Amino acid sequence: MRSMRFIDEVDIQVRSGKGGDGCVSFRREKFIPKGGPDGGHGGQGGHVLIRSDGGINTLAHYRGAKHFKAQDGDSGSGREKNGRAGRDMVLKVPVGTLIRTLEGRQIIADLREEEQEVLIVRGGRGGLGNSHFKTSTNRSPRYAQKGGEGVELNLRMELKLLADLALVGMPNAGKSTLISTVSGARPKVADYPFTTLAPQLGVVEIGEKSLVLADIPGLVERAHRGKGLGIHFLKHIERAKALVHLVDLSQCLEEYEAFERYVTVRRELSCYSSSLEEKRELICLTKVDAVSEETVEKYRCFFTRQLKKNVLPISAVSGTNIRRLKNLMLQML
């Protein structure tokens, strides 16, 4: 069976149900020649709600259907029978979905927890029947109230994945291989750039504790201007508590070349959002199994001198420092 395409941003239109009209009616029974008003009230129109669901991981099912309407309330009838309320329209979205108004970009809700529910538009009120308007001076009201109209709203839904840490780096830096090694995730892995076309999530077990790791498609220079794939997915990094920055040693001939790759990615993060630049970071030199130990040490020392940070050489293939990496990731949280 073909997997559902990853969609993380959709525009939709929602409309609540119209309230049912109140009824104008009078009792007509044998031996009661002057029966009073008995018109029932209209039913409440259905509301539109959005609920987060942990079993959904994409907004793809909203890509085709763009209009969602709750049910109208039924009108009231004689003998003081009230109309039935309209059914609510409940839209299910992945955990981590941000709901905005399409026009003003005003945030309506940020669904960060499972089974979190928010009322988007309220259904129209039901109209009152003529039985409600009977008074001592007006015993036979011949009017009833119309039901309230439903409310229409254009929305933009944006999915931002909820992960503890995010893997960042240039294409083919080893992110997919690493997440498949340390977690149960099974992303596509190949020796050419952009094998990751959508973010991947994996749960990393460390003793009795665990963390959620996100694999973000590789970043290239000018990604913040739309080049490559990364700009479309940078928003998924915003909610991560920290970053694991991977730099591939196997593609570099000199230390400054590897360092320039690191600087390029950092620049793109900064251009997209200052909040990404300020996140805590663990730097890993990857694919160390493909180069000599002397080369690895030379690169590690160069990075340490430039950044004044600890740098960890790793290999997802040979398992070099993978256990230490998992412990360091846990410490960052």
Side-chain angles (χ1 to χ4, degrees):
M1 182 181 294
R2 187 175 60 180
S3 61
M4 184 174 288
R5 183 179 177 188
F6 183 84
I7 301 293
D8 60 358
E9 189 172 297
V10 292
D11 296 337
I12 63 172
Q13 183 183 82
V14 298
R15 184 178 181 85
S16 58
K18 177 185 179 301
D21 295 335
C23 174
V24 176
S25 175
F26 295 90
R27 291 177 63 189
R28 292 291 183 265
E29 298 180 28
K30 192 176 182 180
F31 308 122
I32 307 179
K34 295 182 179 180
D38 67 350
H41 309 322
Q44 168 87 33
H47 308 315
V48 177
L49 306 101
I50 297 182
R51 180 188 302 153
S52 57
D53 187 333
I56 302 174
N57 56 17
T58 176
L59 294 170
H61 47 292
Y62 292 108
R63 194 178 186 193
K66 296 293 185 181
H67 303 277
F68 301 89
K69 184 180 182 302
Q71 189 180 42
D72 293 339
D74 291 340
S75 297
S77 57
R79 298 188 180 181
E80 298 188 351
K81 292 181 179 179
N82 296 332
R84 184 174 54 186
R87 286 194 300 271
D88 295 337
M89 171 65 71
V90 181
L91 306 179
K92 294 183 179 181
V93 298
V95 178
T97 300
L98 189 70
I99 313 296
R100 301 177 185 268
T101 57
L102 187 58
E103 287 78 11
R105 294 293 194 271
Q106 178 183 359
I107 296 177
I108 298 176
D110 190 358
L111 305 180
R112 297 193 179 203
E113 300 177 5
E114 192 167 351
E115 296 299 319
Q116 188 176 348
E117 187 175 86
V118 60
L119 175 64
I120 301 299
V121 283
R122 186 177 295 277
R125 51 149 182 79
L128 299 173
N130 68 335
S131 61
H132 175 81
F133 299 101
K134 179 182 177 181
T135 64
S136 60
T137 58
N138 185 7
R139 294 179 177 275
S140 301
R142 298 183 178 276
Y143 52 86
Q145 194 177 45
K146 291 286 187 180
E149 293 295 327
V151 179
E152 187 174 275
L153 190 61
N154 295 315
L155 301 176
R156 169 156 293 175
M157 300 196 294
E158 302 174 11
L159 172 59
K160 295 185 178 183
L161 297 179
L162 296 176
D164 296 310
L165 297 105
L167 297 176
V168 298
M170 298 196 78
N172 213 27
K175 299 185 296 298
S176 297
T177 303
L178 178 60
I179 196 172
S180 64
T181 299
V182 299
S183 75
R186 291 295 176 264
K188 182 179 180 180
V189 177
D191 59 354
Y192 54 85
F194 296 124
T195 54
T196 301
L197 301 179
Q200 304 283 337
L201 288 180
V203 178
V204 183
E205 303 287 347
I206 308 170
E208 296 181 354
K209 298 182 180 180
S210 64
L211 58 88
V212 178
L213 186 63
D215 172 18
I216 306 300
L219 298 172
V220 296
E221 190 172 6
R222 297 191 299 279
H224 69 282
R225 296 182 180 177
K227 186 174 180 180
L229 297 173
I231 183 63
H232 186 62
F233 300 112
L234 276 173
K235 60 188 172 188
H236 296 294
I237 308 176
E238 289 183 302
R239 288 180 170 169
K241 298 180 181 68
L243 307 177
V244 179
H245 194 146
L246 306 188
V247 182
D248 179 10
L249 296 191
S250 67
Q251 299 183 21
C252 305
L253 300 177
E254 300 291 342
E255 301 97 315
Y256 71 86
E257 184 180 351
F259 190 73
E260 182 59 32
R261 287 172 173 266
Y262 167 82
V263 171
T264 296
V265 173
R266 291 294 302 179
R267 186 185 303 121
E268 297 308 316
L269 295 175
S270 175
C271 289
Y272 180 79
S273 171
S274 59
S275 65
L276 297 185
E277 186 182 27
E278 296 167 358
K279 289 186 182 294
R280 289 169 293 166
E281 179 188 51
L282 173 61
I283 304 168
C284 296
L285 306 180
T286 67
K287 304 182 184 180
V288 298
D289 58 294
V291 297
S292 66
E293 293 183 4
E294 292 79 10
T295 301
V296 172
E297 184 60 20
K298 182 174 66 172
Y299 279 63
R300 189 193 66 79
C301 291
F302 183 85
F303 270 75
T304 301
R305 288 196 304 270
Q306 296 294 325
L307 301 174
K308 304 297 188 293
K309 296 180 180 178
N310 291 327
V311 179
L312 181 66
I314 65 170
S315 170
V317 175
S318 67
T320 302
N321 284 334
I322 294 300
R323 179 175 294 181
R324 186 180 175 194
L325 170 64
K326 294 167 71 172
N327 289 328
L328 288 174
M329 289 193 297
L330 188 60
Q331 290 177 23
M332 291 179 73
L333 302 179

